[in-house]
Amino acid sequence: GIEANWQRTREGEPFMSSAIAKLFLLGSIKFAMRDAWGMGVEYEGGRPGWLDSMNGLPGMVGSGMPETYELYLLLQYVKKVVDTYDRPVHIPVELHTMLSTMNDALDTLEKAGYVDTEDMPAAVPKALFEYWDIVAAARESYRNDVQYYFSGNTTAYRATTVSRMCDRWLGEIQKGIDRSFKVATEGYGDDGTSGIPATFFAYDITKWELNSNRNAEGLPLVNALAMKVRKFPLFLEGPVRYMKIIQDNKERMKDIYERVLDSGLRDKQLNMYFLSASLEGQT
């Protein structure tokens, strides 16, 4: 029955939280899932949206910008709510532990003084990779802690604390969005200068070290030490979702619309749109 769907404490009691705490938790986890360049939200399993052509992306350390745009809107909403009602937000203590690690990693990243260059290299800079590595480990530690139960203990965050966190995270997300336009897309007849938002990225591990673990088939596992981003052709979902975060900028919306209209995403014969530009050359 429905009782089986409740997340419980170790004492067997349903773990209860407010709607805004759940939304803040969702935004926190998604923020912790951003890729190493801080652009897309990582795909860890399942299928990206409903695009069958991209079903293999989770196995390629893939990430998507559509989820980033939705995360941007979610955090804006959470900030608006806590600013409006000025009430404390009670979160699981396990989430508090993850957030402490994540925000400390952000402090370290800021102190490193990394600044994007005009020409974005494929290789992930050391400062960004180290941030990603720490946050990914904290995220997995959180999941292990709550895999079966929550402890039932909570931590209260002041509304101002949640608001400042959301502000800071939104700033980091905007940096990632700006990067995504520089990294851009690459495909048949696409040199990456279209100005249309990218939809997907993937990452190749360029340096690694063996650890002492093996998978279920007995194959050795490794720890990633460095990686580089891989580009894909244009997909329609990227610009469609991007337009949700620029609705107040009519001129920018018109610009994106006209760029898509004049791109490989437009079927000029049928006056309709393709889900993607040509996938020729993709494997």
Side-chain angles (χ1 to χ4, degrees):
I2 196 170
E3 280 289 311
N5 296 324
W6 290 107
Q7 186 75 1
R8 298 181 179 275
T9 67
R10 293 187 180 277
E11 287 71 36
E13 297 296 323
F15 183 75
M16 310 292 285
S17 63
S18 66
I20 194 63
K22 291 176 181 178
L23 291 176
F24 180 59
L25 184 150
L26 176 60
S28 300
I29 297 298
K30 291 297 182 182
F31 184 79
M33 290 173 60
R34 293 181 309 135
D35 63 28
W37 263 113
M39 298 185 296
V41 173
E42 291 180 343
Y43 296 123
E44 300 177 310
R47 300 178 179 183
W50 34 261
L51 288 164
D52 288 347
S53 59
M54 304 306 288
N55 283 352
L57 200 54
M60 301 164 64
V61 198
S63 64
M65 292 305 298
E67 290 74 14
T68 295
Y69 302 136
E70 296 297 337
L71 173 60
Y72 191 87
L73 294 172
L74 172 61
L75 291 177
Q76 281 186 324
Y77 177 76
V78 171
K79 175 176 167 53
K80 177 183 176 181
V81 169
V82 297
D83 285 346
T84 300
Y85 295 101
D86 193 25
R87 298 174 185 170
V89 178
H90 297 267
I91 64 171
V93 69
E94 294 88 350
L95 179 64
H96 167 67
T97 300
M98 188 198 82
L99 292 182
S100 296
T101 301
M102 186 168 73
N103 288 323
D104 286 347
L106 266 181
D107 290 339
T108 301
L109 177 59
E110 289 178 358
K111 290 175 182 176
Y114 172 77
V115 178
D116 289 330
T117 57
E118 188 60 34
D119 295 322
M120 302 288 287
V124 178
K126 185 173 183 290
L128 290 179
F129 178 84
E130 289 178 348
Y131 166 81
W132 171 85
D133 195 33
I134 291 170
V135 172
R139 182 185 71 224
E140 294 311 307
S141 179
Y142 164 80
R143 287 171 171 167
N144 286 336
D145 289 343
V146 301
Q147 182 176 6
Y148 301 110
Y149 306 101
F150 281 103
S151 67
N153 299 319
T154 61
T155 298
Y157 279 12
R158 293 179 179 177
T160 52
T161 299
V162 174
S163 181
R164 284 196 300 269
M165 280 190 193
C166 289
D167 249 342
R168 189 182 195 188
W169 298 349
L170 286 166
E172 291 299 315
I173 292 170
Q174 186 60 59
K175 290 178 186 177
I177 293 172
D178 294 342
R179 287 176 192 138
S180 74
F181 277 90
K182 292 181 179 180
V183 174
T185 57
E186 184 176 83
Y188 180 76
D190 177 10
D191 62 0
T193 61
S194 68
I196 298 171
T199 302
F200 301 117
F201 298 105
Y203 287 82
D204 295 323
I205 309 303
T206 56
K207 186 178 180 182
W208 63 88
E209 64 180 3
L210 288 167
N211 57 42
S212 58
N213 299 315
R214 292 179 177 272
N215 65 11
E217 286 72 39
L219 299 174
L221 300 179
V222 302
N223 293 331
L225 300 177
M227 58 176 66
K228 65 179 181 180
V229 69
R230 187 192 306 186
K231 308 175 188 179
F232 290 99
L234 288 167
F235 283 80
L236 187 62
E237 191 173 3
V240 169
R241 299 288 188 99
Y242 174 69
M243 292 180 81
K244 292 177 69 174
I245 72 169
I246 60 169
Q247 292 185 59
D248 293 336
N249 189 338
K250 303 302 180 184
E251 187 174 324
R252 178 63 171 154
M253 288 186 69
K254 182 181 178 183
D255 176 62
I256 294 297
Y257 167 76
E258 291 176 345
R259 288 175 186 271
V260 172
L261 197 65
D262 194 39
S263 74
L265 291 170
R266 180 69 172 178
D267 185 333
K268 294 179 173 59
Q269 184 174 357
L270 297 179
N271 287 328
M272 299 174 70
Y273 293 95
F274 296 113
L275 292 181
S276 71
S278 173
L279 298 180
E280 183 175 333
Q282 302 296 310
T283 57

